[in-house]
Amino acid sequence: EADIYQTPRYLVIGTGKKITLECSQTMGHDKMYWYQQDPGMELHLIHYSYGVNSTEKGDLSSESTVSRIRTEHFPLTLESARPSHTSQYLCASSDPAGQGSFGYTFGSGTRLTVV
Amino acid sequence: AQSVTQLDSQVPVFEEAPVELRCNYSSSVSVYLFWYVQYPNQGLQLLLKYLSGSTLVKGINGFEAEFNKSQTSFHLRKPSVHISDTAEYFCAVTTADSNYQLIWGAGTKLIIKP
């Protein structure tokens, strides 16, 4: 079954460290998204991509960066982690034209704690 | 621009009772509508979606939703809830105008009381 994978599931890291959150999908979807979500709160779009070499910032300003060198891979990087970055990060993908479903498929998320 | 309003931030309900989670949207063009569920410490899972056709949509886990164009609503219902339904529920809308990006509601926490 096609799916979308996020690693790690949980990460505790010290302030100032550089981290990369991984997201990969096996569905060949062109569109991919990163959301930030505090526990029990709404989703905030921080980055999205409509294909290889295409990345855009979302509605919520974020100090993170993303890259899209391959269709299946959409990693998110924090150059210098801070306690304010503590949150859950969710990756999603979609392919409205291909599947006609218009919905998103989500990964299980990475819960990041910066101490 | 599209927007989604989930009218209740929390809905407490007794086990085996019926529940309705409310969702209203605003859009000047044709919409596609979704309900997602998020269990604790998990990503989001699609419950059901309305793309076209019958306005009553059935989804997984016994949930259903009705698209009401005149009231711009897409309320989620279940006739009898279980403790396992405890989760956060998100309503979302998308259109061609938004390049099929999902516009999200703020979520409703369903709390099942034993």
Side-chain angles (χ1 to χ4, degrees), chain A residues 11-28:
Chain A
L11 179 62
V12 180
I13 200 162
T15 298
K17 298 292 187 182
K18 177 180 178 179
I19 58 172
T20 296
L21 308 185
E22 300 289 347
C23 177
S24 294
Q25 49 99 0
T26 60
M27 297 168 282

Side-chain angles (χ1 to χ4, degrees), chain B residues 22-95:
Chain B
R22 297 180 294 168
C23 173
N24 285 89
Y25 68 92
S26 67
S27 175
S28 58
V29 297
S30 295
V31 296
Y32 305 104
L33 295 153
F34 304 82
W35 276 100
Y36 282 80
V37 60
Q38 185 181 32
Y39 300 105
N41 296 317
Q42 295 290 324
L44 278 72
Q45 178 183 1
L46 181 65
L47 263 183
L48 48 79
K49 60 189 176 187
Y50 171 78
L51 303 183
S52 64
S54 172
T55 57
L56 182 63
V57 180
K58 294 190 183 298
I60 62 172
N61 301 340
F63 284 92
E64 65 181 31
E66 185 153 22
F67 170 54
N68 188 320
K69 187 175 182 179
S70 62
Q71 297 186 3
T72 62
S73 67
F74 191 55
H75 300 333
L76 181 70
R77 302 185 182 99
K78 187 170 182 178
S80 176
V81 296
H82 301 116
I83 196 76
S84 59
D85 293 323
T86 298
E88 189 89 19
Y89 291 80
F90 291 92
C91 181
V93 64
T94 191
T95 69

Side-chain angles (χ1 to χ4, degrees), chain A residues 7-59:
Chain A
T7 57
R9 283 296 312 278
Y10 301 93
L11 179 62
V12 180
I13 200 162
T15 298
K17 298 292 187 182
K18 177 180 178 179
I19 58 172
T20 296
L21 308 185
E22 300 289 347
C23 177
S24 294
Q25 49 99 0
T26 60
M27 297 168 282
H29 287 174
D30 285 328
K31 297 186 176 183
M32 297 188 74
Y33 312 86
W34 276 104
Y35 286 89
Q36 185 175 342
Q37 183 190 32
D38 291 329
M41 303 297 285
E42 58 194 293
L43 299 165
H44 295 287
L45 181 67
I46 51 175
H47 297 284
Y48 62 97
S49 167
Y50 285 169
V52 171
N53 295 326
S54 154
T55 61
E56 301 286 346
K57 290 187 180 295
D59 305 322

Side-chain angles (χ1 to χ4, degrees), chain A residues 52-84:
Chain A
V52 171
N53 295 326
S54 154
T55 61
E56 301 286 346
K57 290 187 180 295
D59 305 322
L60 180 68
S61 175
S62 173
E63 294 167 343
S64 58
T65 59
V66 292
S67 63
R68 190 88 183 275
I69 299 172
R70 304 196 316 267
T71 297
E72 62 271 23
H73 195 212
F74 191 40
L76 182 146
T77 298
L78 278 167
E79 291 292 334
S80 179
R82 296 210 305 261
S84 60

